[in-house]
Amino acid sequence: MALLESSAFVEVTASMAAPLRGKKRWAYLKNEKTIRLASTEKDGSIYLSSLWYVVQKETIYLPIDAGGRHAVNFDEKRSFAALVDSGDEYATVAGVRIIGTATKVEDPVLFDTLQNLVFDKYFYEGHPYAEPYFQFGKAVGRQYYSLSPSKMIGWDCRETAAPQAIESRELPEFVKDRRI
């Protein structure tokens, strides 16, 4: 009764109705291809772009060319906001919103591992653009940054939508009162 008398309403968001957390969130992030990243510029404005990324051991890594504006913003310890999302209609909408900071990867072994992950995710043996991508990265000093989220919010509306299924109407022999 108190709920009906209250004038305060709770706004239900997609992340409340269909949360994407834990191992499911990391599996989703690992399989998606694009992250939309907004980093903060020196003057407080936002620099926004879509990037590739890879996930290893529940950490997101971004390949960023050394002269890129995101690299400058990350090196200056400025914050970012990012979105990985998918879906073409309400029942298939899913995503993860991420807020935090980023740190340059200094470990050469990890760098090589991340290069291999990028190749495996976005290319294949004999892919016509693989060699130019990695050669360009080498020429411009591509680096990797690990994202350090202070907040991650995920949702997956596929959890709330029941897929259409054909009903067989074949019941076991012992169910005699429900025969059609």
Side-chain angles (χ1 to χ4, degrees):
M1 187 62 152
L3 224 91
L4 294 175
E5 294 171 3
S6 172
S7 62
F9 290 96
V10 174
E11 180 181 337
V12 178
T13 64
S15 64
M16 292 168 67
L20 183 59
R21 298 184 181 122
K23 298 276 185 209
K24 282 185 179 181
R25 177 172 54 204
W26 287 107
Y28 174 80
L29 288 169
K30 191 171 187 176
N31 288 320
E32 287 302 312
K33 299 263 188 174
T34 305
I35 188 167
R36 291 158 182 76
L37 182 74
S39 61
T40 309
E41 298 274 56
K42 185 176 183 177
D43 64 1
S45 64
I46 299 298
Y47 178 64
L48 176 65
S49 63
S50 296
L51 300 169
W52 286 352
Y53 71 97
V54 291
V55 173
Q56 182 183 6
K57 297 180 182 173
E58 296 189 355
T59 301
I60 299 170
Y61 294 94
L62 305 175
I64 306 278
D65 296 340
R69 291 166 67 179
H70 289 304
V72 172
N73 293 333
F74 290 159
D75 291 342
E76 293 294 322
K77 305 295 182 212
R78 297 186 191 122
S79 61
F80 75 85
L83 176 67
V84 176
D85 65 333
S86 61
D88 294 327
E89 53 194 52
Y90 180 76
T92 62
V93 171
V96 178
R97 185 168 47 110
I98 307 161
I99 299 168
T101 57
T103 307
K104 187 186 307 183
V105 171
E106 303 286 356
D107 179 359
V109 174
L110 179 55
F111 180 90
D112 290 342
T113 300
L114 297 173
Q115 289 278 78
N116 289 330
L117 288 173
V118 166
F119 180 85
D120 291 343
K121 186 171 185 176
Y122 297 100
F123 300 102
Y124 52 83
E125 226 27 75
H127 191 287
Y129 301 121
E131 186 177 345
Y133 172 81
F134 290 102
Q135 288 298 323
F136 180 76
K138 191 173 188 175
V140 298
R142 184 168 296 137
Q143 303 162 355
Y144 283 87
Y145 286 82
S146 65
L147 300 188
S148 302
S150 57
K151 187 174 196 178
M152 290 178 81
I153 300 168
W155 61 93
D156 189 348
C157 291
R158 297 171 300 177
E159 295 280 342
T160 61
Q164 185 177 8
I166 296 173
E167 195 174 317
S168 71
R169 297 188 184 259
E170 291 182 26
L171 300 173
E173 284 299 316
F174 63 86
V175 183
K176 301 202 186 290
D177 63 332
R178 295 184 190 110
R179 292 238 181 241
I180 296 176

